[in-house]
Every structure is written in structure tokens, then in C-alpha cells.
Amino acid sequence: MSVLAQPIPIERPPARPIDAPPTAKYIEYANEVAARLAGKLSARERRRLEGERALLARARFIELNGVVHHYQDVGPLDGEPLLLIHGWDCSSFWWHHVVDPLAQAGYRVVSYDLKGHGFSDSDPRQDYTVAGFSADVQALSRALNLGPAHVAAFSLGAFIGLHVAAHQPDLVRSLIFFNFSLLPYNKFASQFVPRLLDTVFNGVLRPIERRNLWWLPFIYARLVMAQNTPSVGDIRLGTLGLRYCDPAAVRVSATELSRPEILAAVAEQAKTIQQPLLLVAGANDPIMRPADGRKLVALAPNGSFLEVPKCGHLILFELPEHVIQIMRLFLKGVR
């Protein structure tokens, strides 16, 4: 019997009428975790994998615009909805520190994997564009009857959240963006950066992760992207995104986000949104620079800005307690 033919060894939530079958990626990894937990492990590794099993146990699946997506729906169904959108080449597990504290505070917390990311299927049309991702968010919101939801988004996810707020304002109650800013267009960078990212992520980091050399991406993240050292468990969850991200998503998204019209649209969309917006910047973010974040917030009618000292681009893993506190305070003040 093949791995994918084996039964899923993790009990998941009761099925809903809208649920789709689990994806092959999910089944593969759920069985892998179960098999490893059945073997001999160090106490620390067992705790880490038991944590992952608990995350896997919450998995739900839904078809959106022809692609099966992995999502999780935690907290009271009648709570204020909070939708979490992860970043480029990441997964919904990047939000794992946030979900339970906000659910316990009474919010209905919905996190999901973008198509081609995490345990969501790849898009056969390779529509890994901001507009394509935005259409999926809109479909998810309506399928789950979220109504106007608070939207928290990280990095690439903020492009998507902003697009939804600008084009379907009835679906968005407020916005919290982490590590996001205006990105000035540079003709040279637009030609060079997408190829560089394709090489680094698809040609180097992804093969490294498949060989279980997760500590090499850890070193890269610590030296380049972060000011604080994430835990080993968080880095392993982060590199899980590398393992399952469709390589085409890296190429398509990186190319699109280097186009001048896409970058210019961010400023124009920011001018139109009426929802409360909080942009949280890492003071030492090498990608989304705080100064450009301030410029973006200045365009939004109801925008506010918070700069977190000694923080890089990976705030969700660097300073998760800060993220939780920031979100609680902001959401409490939204009327």
C-alpha cells in the first residue's frame, strides 16, 4: 500500500457540507508525522511533532475557484471573524502562535493556505497573482459566511488583503498588516530580483529542505531576515512551507510584484479604503522598510503605524507575543 493510500492517522473536525477531501500533500505529511511519533524520539522532538499533530488535527478543506484549499476555523462560530493571510512561500502555520489566544478571546479565527502553498493544491492555471489570490479570499469569505471580517496579513498577504478591501469593502471590517510597505519600482530590480528569488528558493532552499537540512534555511533566516532567533519548531514549520510550495508560485508572484502597475496599485488602493488600518513594521526589516510603510499609511484615510524595535521581516516567528498583544489591542478598539 502506498503512503497516499493509507488512512489519515489524525482525527479531524466533523465534516461540513462544503468540505472537500484532504489533499495529497496533507495526507502525506499527516502520515509522516504519525509514523515518526510511533518511533523513538527525543523528548524535545516528540513535543515538537505532537504540536504539529495538533495543528494537523484542525485541518479542513474546501474547493475555491476550482482549487482545493486547506483551512482551519477555530473559536466560536458566532465570534467576530478574523481572517489570517500568510506570506509568500509560507503557509497558514506561520500564524500558529496567534490562533488560540485570539480564539480564546472570542474571535472566530480562520486561517488558510494560499493555493499552491502549504496543504492547498496547486493551481493548474498557475494564476498566482494578487487578483487571483484575492478572488479566493472572497470565495472563502462567502462560503464560510464570515461577513465583514477583520483581516490580518503578513508580507505578500497584505497585497491580497488590501486588494480585497479596495474591491470588496463589504467583506472587510478592519486591516492589520505585518511587514508591508510601498515598494518603489526599479527597472533593474524588476528584471533581476524574480530570477534571483527563483534561483534561491527553487534552486537552493527547496532542495536543501527535501534533504532535511533545515538548519541551513535557519541560518539564512537568522542572518538575513530576522533580528531575533526563532525557535527550532518555528523554523521547521517555516521550512515546511518550502517543501510544499508550488515552484511556479514563486516565479509568477515574484514576477508580478516587480511590475510597475502592480506596485503603483498599492498606493491607489490605500487611498480608497475606509476601514481602520494598522501597519506594523519591523524596525530592521530589510525587505519592507519602515519608511516606506509610513508613506503607505499616510495615504490611508484611517491608517495608523507602529514600528517594532529590533525586529526584522519575520515578526510572526521573531516576536509572537508582541504580535498577539498588538492584535488584541487593535481589534478591541475597532468599532
Side-chain angles (χ1 to χ4, degrees), residues 25-84:
K25 293 190 288 186
Y26 172 83
I27 295 173
E28 176 188 74
Y29 194 69
N31 286 340
E32 180 180 317
V33 169
R36 293 188 65 189
L37 282 169
K40 187 175 181 179
L41 297 168
S42 68
R44 184 173 68 175
E45 182 68 357
R46 183 168 297 278
R47 285 194 300 272
R48 185 185 73 80
L49 288 172
E50 286 175 346
E52 288 195 8
R53 182 169 61 180
L55 292 175
L56 291 164
R58 294 173 166 177
R60 294 183 180 276
F61 297 86
I62 186 171
E63 184 173 324
L64 306 171
N65 298 317
V67 178
V68 175
H69 286 65
H70 162 246
Y71 78 100
Q72 301 194 357
D73 192 349
V74 182
L77 291 179
D78 60 351
E80 292 181 26
L82 169 61
L83 179 63
L84 308 177

Side-chain angles (χ1 to χ4, degrees), residues 86-105:
H86 67 77
W88 181 80
D89 211 350
C90 303
S91 77
S92 57
F93 285 177
W94 280 58
W95 293 100
H96 78 99
H97 290 293
V98 167
V99 173
D100 283 342
L102 272 298
Q104 291 164 7

Side-chain angles (χ1 to χ4, degrees), residues 288-308:
M288 301 291 190
R289 300 186 181 278
D292 293 323
R294 290 183 184 275
K295 293 176 184 177
L296 175 59
V297 167
L299 299 172
N302 293 302
S304 54
F305 180 84
L306 176 64
E307 183 173 324
V308 180

Side-chain angles (χ1 to χ4, degrees), residues 3-325:
V3 171
L4 296 186
Q6 294 176 16
I8 302 172
I10 293 176
E11 184 176 349
R12 297 188 297 112
R16 295 172 174 173
I18 59 173
D19 282 351
T23 60
K25 293 190 288 186
Y26 172 83
I27 295 173
E28 176 188 74
Y29 194 69
N31 286 340
E32 180 180 317
V33 169
R36 293 188 65 189
L37 282 169
K40 187 175 181 179
L41 297 168
S42 68
R44 184 173 68 175
E45 182 68 357
R46 183 168 297 278
R47 285 194 300 272
R48 185 185 73 80
L49 288 172
E50 286 175 346
E52 288 195 8
R53 182 169 61 180
L55 292 175
L56 291 164
R58 294 173 166 177
R60 294 183 180 276
F61 297 86
I62 186 171
E63 184 173 324
L64 306 171
N65 298 317
V67 178
V68 175
H69 286 65
H70 162 246
Y71 78 100
Q72 301 194 357
D73 192 349
V74 182
L77 291 179
D78 60 351
E80 292 181 26
L82 169 61
L83 179 63
L84 308 177
I85 309 178
H86 67 77
W88 181 80
D89 211 350
C90 303
S91 77
S92 57
F93 285 177
W94 280 58
W95 293 100
H96 78 99
H97 290 293
V98 167
V99 173
D100 283 342
L102 272 298
Q104 291 164 7
Y107 295 95
R108 179 186 180 185
V109 184
V110 176
S111 57
Y112 78 107
D113 291 333
L114 302 177
K115 57 187 173 183
H117 294 69
F119 298 126
S120 292
D121 274 339
S122 298
D123 185 349
R125 300 158 297 180
Q126 296 188 2
D127 182 16
Y128 299 118
T129 61
V130 172
F133 289 133
S134 174
D136 296 335
V137 172
Q138 296 169 42
L140 177 65
S141 177
R142 294 193 169 103
L144 299 183
N145 296 313
L146 297 183
H150 303 290
V151 175
F154 166 69
S155 195
L156 167 67
F159 283 95
I160 301 163
L162 182 62
H163 188 281
V164 175
H167 291 86
Q168 295 292 331
D170 59 306
L171 299 181
V172 179
R173 183 174 177 184
S174 72
L175 295 160
I176 313 174
F177 293 157
F178 294 93
N179 299 108
F180 184 56
S181 73
L182 294 175
L183 289 174
Y185 173 70
N186 180 289
K187 185 175 182 180
F188 172 75
S190 71
Q191 298 173 350
F192 172 72
V193 171
R195 296 176 187 174
L196 175 64
L197 292 175
D198 187 14
T199 299
V200 170
F201 282 84
N202 289 336
V204 179
L205 294 180
R206 214 174 305 284
I208 284 174
E209 196 285 331
R210 286 197 292 267
R211 292 178 175 87
N212 201 32
L213 301 175
W214 59 267
W215 50 271
L216 287 174
F218 174 89
I219 293 172
Y220 167 80
R222 183 60 185 89
L223 294 179
V224 178
M225 306 287 282
Q227 291 290 304
N228 302 272
T229 302
S231 70
V232 169
D234 282 349
I235 291 297
R236 298 295 293 271
L237 284 177
T239 57
L240 183 63
L242 280 174
R243 173 174 174 176
Y244 285 121
C245 185
D246 183 354
V250 170
R251 291 191 290 270
V252 173
S253 295
T255 300
E256 190 200 28
L257 295 180
S258 67
R259 291 165 48 194
E261 62 271 26
I262 297 298
L263 298 178
V266 172
E268 295 307 311
Q269 291 166 4
K271 295 175 185 177
T272 68
I273 59 171
Q274 299 300 314
Q275 301 92 335
L277 162 67
L278 173 63
L279 194 154
V280 183
N284 305 102
D285 190 335
I287 299 173
M288 301 291 190
R289 300 186 181 278
D292 293 323
R294 290 183 184 275
K295 293 176 184 177
L296 175 59
V297 167
L299 299 172
N302 293 302
S304 54
F305 180 84
L306 176 64
E307 183 173 324
V308 180
K310 197 186 176 186
C311 181
H313 187 66
L314 308 181
I315 191 171
L316 300 183
F317 285 166
E318 291 185 63
L319 298 169
E321 293 300 325
H322 287 63
V323 171
I324 294 165
Q325 186 67 8

